[in-house]
Amino acid sequence: MNLLCPNCQKQVTISDDFAGQLMNCPLCGGLFTVPGLPGAAQLPPPAPVQGTDVYSIRPEPSPPPPPPPQISTVLPPSPEPAAPQTPSLKPSLGLQDYQMTLAASLSPGVLPWIAPACLILVFFLQFFPWDGLYPGGEPAVTGNAWYAAFGAYSVDGDLKNYVLFTEDEKYQPGVSVLTIFYLLLFFPSLIITVGSVVILMVPVKLPPQVNNLLPWRWGIVAAVNLVLFLFLALQLLLGFSLDSRYREWVDKETKLDAKSNPTTQARKESDVKRGELLERLQHTVWLRLVVLLHLIAIVSSALMFWMDRRGTHRPRPKLELKW
């Protein structure tokens, strides 16, 4: 039969035996299907003969099934038993367990004024009674800081009979040297302490020597106040002149003559009388307040010096209490 190649569009002559089969074009080699003869029964195409130029599609063989997994007979090592954990007797508390908080921090706006305020209060308390004789709680003989320094005292006229030692010139109070030095040093300390705060507020050009000391001013204030307090502490340790002279008078009044061989009752009565007389000698609450103010001035100025040395860029020290 004569037909056109669908690939090269050229007329070729094909034998009728290839009707309905695949074959290659003898001119271009392209593969095409030869149309069947009209009226002929459709038979299945014969198997391709070896050596003929006929192509076919073979399905690829399926891969062999994978081999069955091998079961290992080696058992894994048994895990070691974990060590028993001891329960904590005191469980830690989280921050959310606290219900109340109290915090206090050092304010740089308030702390510099504490030392000057303390010394100013001390100045006024120097005119209050510091020591004296108080029979039954009544001020029979009193003396402030200035009286104690120069051996003066004040006597209540209604209670002269309870302070008979004042009539004996031998037991008259004298000067207290340490108190004099304390008072002489107090005013320079007051000026330095107040000036350390005011000096930065006054627009005055300072000498170079003073400018070099400004970073150390609070250390100087703390040192001066410490020396001032030492004079007062030594005076309290040794006693004011009024204290020592009154104790000498009490010892004279209650001393027993050993030659007279005093009885046990006489010695007891002497001890009782001596105790009653010494109970009249008291240091007032104003003197205790002065000591406390001096300590506060020393601590506050030392804290200011420490805060200046550690730098202003660091957070302020804070004391926090939680419960």
Side-chain angles (χ1 to χ4, degrees):
M1 68 177 70
N2 296 325
L3 50 86
L4 292 175
C5 176
N7 297 315
C8 61
Q9 300 297 323
K10 293 182 180 181
Q11 187 176 0
V12 293
T13 302
I14 303 299
S15 175
D16 294 341
D17 297 334
F18 293 99
Q21 300 181 14
L22 290 174
M23 67 172 298
N24 293 90
C25 175
L27 299 178
C28 66
L31 183 64
F32 66 94
T33 303
V34 179
L37 296 175
Q42 298 292 333
L43 298 176
V49 182
Q50 186 177 2
T52 59
D53 196 4
V54 179
Y55 294 90
S56 62
I57 301 175
R58 295 182 181 178
E60 294 182 0
S62 60
Q70 297 181 357
I71 300 176
S72 177
T73 58
V74 180
L75 298 177
S78 59
E80 297 181 359
Q85 297 182 358
T86 305
S88 178
L89 300 179
K90 296 182 179 180
S92 59
L93 299 177
L95 294 178
Q96 65 274 8
D97 296 326
Y98 296 104
Q99 298 179 358
M100 303 294 292
T101 302
L102 179 63
S105 59
L106 299 177
S107 175
V110 178
L111 190 59
W113 294 96
I114 294 180
C118 289
L119 289 191
I120 291 174
L121 288 176
V122 169
F123 172 74
F124 288 105
L125 290 176
Q126 289 175 358
F127 299 95
F128 284 69
W130 279 20
D131 67 338
L133 300 179
Y134 292 83
E138 293 293 334
V141 176
T142 58
N144 55 30
W146 298 91
Y147 281 10
F150 299 101
Y153 54 90
S154 176
V155 180
D156 187 347
D158 297 332
L159 301 175
K160 286 184 178 181
N161 295 332
Y162 294 92
V163 288
L164 299 177
F165 83 102
T166 57
E167 299 178 358
D168 192 343
E169 295 183 357
K170 181 180 179 181
Y171 299 102
Q172 289 290 323
V175 297
S176 299
V177 179
L178 292 175
T179 307
I180 294 177
F181 280 105
Y182 165 78
L183 294 175
L184 292 177
L185 186 59
F186 175 80
F187 292 100
S189 302
L190 178 62
I191 295 173
I192 294 174
T193 304
V194 176
S196 62
V197 181
V198 180
I199 193 170
L200 298 180
M201 300 180 180
V202 180
V204 178
K205 186 176 180 180
L206 301 174
Q209 296 80 3
V210 178
N211 287 327
N212 295 333
L213 294 177
L214 286 181
W216 303 90
R217 67 185 186 280
W218 286 111
I220 298 173
V221 171
V224 171
N225 280 274
L226 180 60
V227 174
L228 179 65
F229 175 75
L230 289 178
F231 278 104
L232 179 61
L234 288 175
Q235 185 66 81
L236 293 177
L237 182 63
L238 299 176
F240 295 103
S241 178
L242 175 65
D243 302 342
S244 58
R245 296 296 172 84
Y246 179 72
R247 287 193 178 95
E248 293 175 1
W249 180 81
V250 170
D251 291 340
K252 180 185 72 76
E253 291 293 322
T254 58
K255 184 178 180 181
L256 296 177
D257 189 3
K259 296 181 180 180
S260 61
N261 194 12
T263 62
T264 304
Q265 180 180 357
R267 287 196 299 270
K268 290 181 179 179
E269 291 178 352
S270 175
D271 293 339
V272 171
K273 182 179 179 181
R274 184 175 187 277
E276 290 178 349
L277 293 176
L278 290 178
E279 286 179 356
R280 301 176 182 181
L281 183 63
Q282 297 180 11
H283 289 167
T284 64
V285 66
W286 308 116
L287 178 58
R288 298 187 182 94
L289 183 58
V290 167
V291 173
L292 178 61
L293 290 174
H294 276 298
L295 292 175
I296 294 175
I298 295 171
V299 173
S300 61
S301 55
L303 286 175
M304 279 298 304
F305 177 69
W306 173 65
M307 291 178 64
D308 288 345
R309 291 292 90 193
R310 72 192 296 265
T312 57
H313 61 282
R314 295 186 178 181
R316 292 175 293 172
K318 181 174 66 173
L319 179 63
E320 189 173 18
L321 178 63
K322 293 183 179 181
W323 68 94

